[in-house]
Amino acid sequence: MNKNRVGIIRVLSTDNLQVLYSHETIIKNIYPELEIISEAIKDQPNGVYNQETELESVPKILEIAKDMEKSGVNAILISCCMDPGLTLIKKELNIPVVGAGMASALMAMSLGNKIGVTSLDKVIPPNLHETLGNKLLAYQPSEGINNTKDLLKIDGKEKVLKTARDLRDQGADCLLLACTGMSTIGLAPLLEEKLNIPVIDPIIASGGLINYLVKRK
Amino acid sequence: MNKNRVGIIRVLSTDNLQVLYSHETIIKNIYPELEIISEAIKDQPNGVYNQETELESVPKILEIAKDMEKSGVNAILISCCMDPGLTLIKKELNIPVVGAGMASALMAMSLGNKIGVTSLDKVIPPNLHETLGNKLLAYQPSEGINNTKDLLKIDGKEKVLKTARDLRDQGADCLLLACTGMSTIGLAPLLEEKLNIPVIDPIIASGGLINYLVKRK
């Protein structure tokens, strides 16, 4: 049995193959030995960004996850830091299922004890809050960064850098970028260079955890 | 710069090269791309097994860790589930430092929400308790298994299996073997096959986390 097959579920609809494969590409660059298939949920071009869109996405994610399990993948990544449907899907499937939020929270805890988190929403995703427990120092969104399109604007990176610097100055010994859109624009290495503390990229963290899970036996 | 060099610190003294390299060998079998150097602390043939021996080991571990950092390794693994000296050594060094206890607790949390832990001591190592938080279901040592030599006796594996079954029957959805001696005898796959829930091997978990840390940039 091939132990290295991974299914990535993208929680936004897209016809753009570059977008569809963007997370797969990041992981393959680091773990070329993994076989990856990516699939996107239908009819949610704006993805998952609040409770309503999260609830809408869960049955779609579950259906794709079940199909992927049938096709023989060894583990599944729900590629969103809100981990939509994670608890339900773990119960329904017999293979490991990882959420990008959970993966990045766990990896952050290996590097820091006072973790600063930033993302797009006003409040921290509850799954991250729960996993980080008393290792969460603070959550802070960036002013003017309300969706992934804002990240792509000319001053997008600068705005997140300001927030990240604030978190470090509050005493964070590790930063967690809790939005997979921040992976797409390669924000973590930039912030790490400027701030000199570890910065967790959620897709790279997910790749690291998934690579462990498919090889651990 | 080579990103794939790892130093493993063995917390027992040994002249037996097979013993010295045993954890390195387990990790290299899964992650052959890692370059690993192993070094053991001096004058502790019985390793670390209580608070006194832990305190005795910490300055020795710190000294080896500093030397390894100078020699250019990209990450260090303290190969003991009690994580002796981890907090201190993380502060003193500029590279990631992982303890086998921390690594296995984090990896267990990716697979389960009710984690059963077994090891050699009467009580759970405090670092594991703290990391697992409310995901710790129960801790239970095995009757008659007080040190690593007991593990090697003819009924050693059977005794741990009994404990593991108890923990599963109490509701554990993941087991954590919090003793690296249980890695050496390959206990995790045996228990996993018998009990049909994931069983975390601390050295394989450490390898997975270290492999992420040295490649994540």
Side-chain angles (χ1 to χ4, degrees):
Chain A
M1 188 170 71
N2 190 323
K3 290 279 182 192
N4 301 328
R5 294 193 68 209
V6 174
I8 296 183
I9 303 177
R10 300 298 311 272
V11 303
L12 86 174
S13 311
T14 180
D15 290 328
N16 181 326
L17 291 182
Q18 193 179 351
V19 172
L20 176 64
Y21 295 139
S22 58
H23 295 175
E24 174 176 332
T25 304
I26 292 169
I27 294 176
K28 274 190 170 168
N29 274 340
I30 303 179
Y31 303 104
E33 68 272 35
L34 293 177
E35 283 178 35
I36 305 181
I37 53 170
S38 295
E39 195 169 332
I41 58 172
K42 298 262 189 290
D43 304 324
Q44 290 198 224
N46 295 316
V48 167
Y49 50 92
N50 58 21
Q51 205 184 7
E52 193 187 338
T53 51
E54 187 184 352
L55 288 174
E56 193 185 339
S57 75
V58 171
K60 303 177 192 177
I61 298 173
L62 176 61
E63 193 187 338
I64 295 175
K66 283 182 169 175
D67 285 347
M68 283 180 166
E69 185 180 35
K70 275 185 207 151
S71 81
V73 304
N74 304 106
I76 283 173
L77 169 61
I78 302 168
S79 201
C80 170
C81 285
M82 291 181 75
D83 295 347
L86 180 62
T87 306
L88 171 72
I89 294 165
K90 282 177 89 162
K91 276 187 197 147
E92 295 274 335
L93 267 59
N94 293 307
I95 53 174
V97 183
V98 166
M102 181 187 70
S104 46
L106 295 175
M107 294 312 198
M109 289 164 81
S110 78
L111 288 167
N113 287 308
K114 296 175 183 175
I115 296 160
V117 183
T118 189
S119 186
L120 306 179
D121 304 315
K122 286 199 176 63
V123 294
I124 186 169
N127 55 314
L128 283 183
H129 199 155
E130 193 197 324
T131 304
L132 293 171
N134 62 15
K135 290 198 173 182
L136 174 67
L137 176 82
Y139 176 78
Q140 196 173 310
S142 299
E143 208 172 309
I145 304 286
N146 300 311
N147 56 51
T148 50
K149 284 176 188 161
D150 289 332
L151 280 175
L152 302 172
K153 289 180 183 166
I154 195 161
D155 57 352
K157 288 182 181 175
E158 201 57 46
K159 284 179 172 171
V160 184
L161 173 60
K162 184 178 176 302
T163 307
R165 186 174 282 125
D166 278 357
L167 285 164
R168 185 202 57 183
D169 293 347
Q170 285 169 48
D173 57 8
C174 179
L175 295 177
L176 193 171
L177 305 181
C179 164
T180 58
M182 295 178 183
S183 295
T184 315
I185 61 169
L187 205 49
L190 174 80
L191 298 185
E192 203 160 288
E193 192 192 320
K194 298 265 187 193
L195 301 177
N196 208 26
I197 56 173
V199 179
I200 302 295
D201 175 301
I203 293 299
I204 297 176
S206 298
L209 181 56
I210 281 272
N211 189 50
Y212 159 72
L213 290 170
V214 296
K215 290 184 182 171
R216 73 183 185 85
K217 284 180 194 173
Chain B
M1 191 168 70
N2 191 324
K3 289 279 182 192
N4 300 327
R5 295 193 68 209
V6 174
I8 296 183
I9 303 176
R10 299 298 309 273
V11 304
L12 86 174
S13 312
T14 181
D15 290 327
N16 180 326
L17 291 181
Q18 194 179 349
V19 173
L20 176 64
Y21 296 139
S22 59
H23 296 174
E24 173 176 332
T25 303
I26 293 169
I27 294 176
K28 274 190 169 168
N29 274 340
I30 304 178
Y31 304 103
E33 69 272 35
L34 292 178
E35 283 178 34
I36 304 182
I37 52 169
S38 294
E39 195 169 330
I41 59 171
K42 297 264 188 290
D43 304 324
Q44 289 197 222
N46 296 316
V48 168
Y49 50 91
N50 58 20
Q51 205 182 7
E52 195 187 336
T53 51
E54 187 185 353
L55 288 174
E56 194 186 337
S57 75
V58 170
K60 303 177 192 177
I61 298 173
L62 176 59
E63 193 186 338
I64 295 175
K66 283 183 170 175
D67 285 346
M68 283 180 165
E69 184 180 35
K70 275 186 207 153
S71 81
V73 304
N74 304 107
I76 283 173
L77 169 61
I78 302 168
S79 199
C80 170
C81 285
M82 291 181 75
D83 297 347
L86 180 62
T87 306
L88 171 72
I89 295 165
K90 282 177 91 161
K91 276 187 195 147
E92 295 275 334
L93 267 60
N94 293 307
I95 54 175
V97 183
V98 166
M102 180 186 71
S104 45
L106 295 175
M107 293 313 198
M109 291 164 80
S110 79
L111 287 167
N113 287 309
K114 294 174 184 177
I115 296 160
V117 183
T118 189
S119 186
L120 306 180
D121 304 315
K122 288 199 175 63
V123 294
I124 185 169
N127 54 314
L128 283 182
H129 200 153
E130 193 197 323
T131 304
L132 293 171
N134 61 14
K135 291 200 171 182
L136 173 67
L137 175 81
Y139 175 77
Q140 195 172 312
S142 298
E143 208 173 310
I145 303 286
N146 301 310
N147 55 51
T148 50
K149 285 175 187 164
D150 290 331
L151 281 174
L152 301 173
K153 289 180 183 166
I154 195 161
D155 57 352
K157 287 182 180 175
E158 203 55 46
K159 284 179 172 170
V160 184
L161 173 60
K162 186 178 174 301
T163 308
R165 188 175 279 123
D166 279 357
L167 285 165
R168 187 204 55 184
D169 293 348
Q170 286 169 48
D173 57 7
C174 179
L175 294 177
L176 193 171
L177 305 181
C179 165
T180 58
M182 295 179 183
S183 296
T184 315
I185 61 170
L187 204 50
L190 175 81
L191 299 185
E192 202 160 288
E193 193 191 320
K194 298 266 186 193
L195 302 176
N196 208 26
I197 56 173
V199 180
I200 301 296
D201 175 300
I203 293 299
I204 297 176
S206 299
L209 182 56
I210 281 272
N211 189 50
Y212 159 71
L213 291 171
V214 296
K215 289 184 181 170
R216 71 181 186 86
K217 282 181 195 173

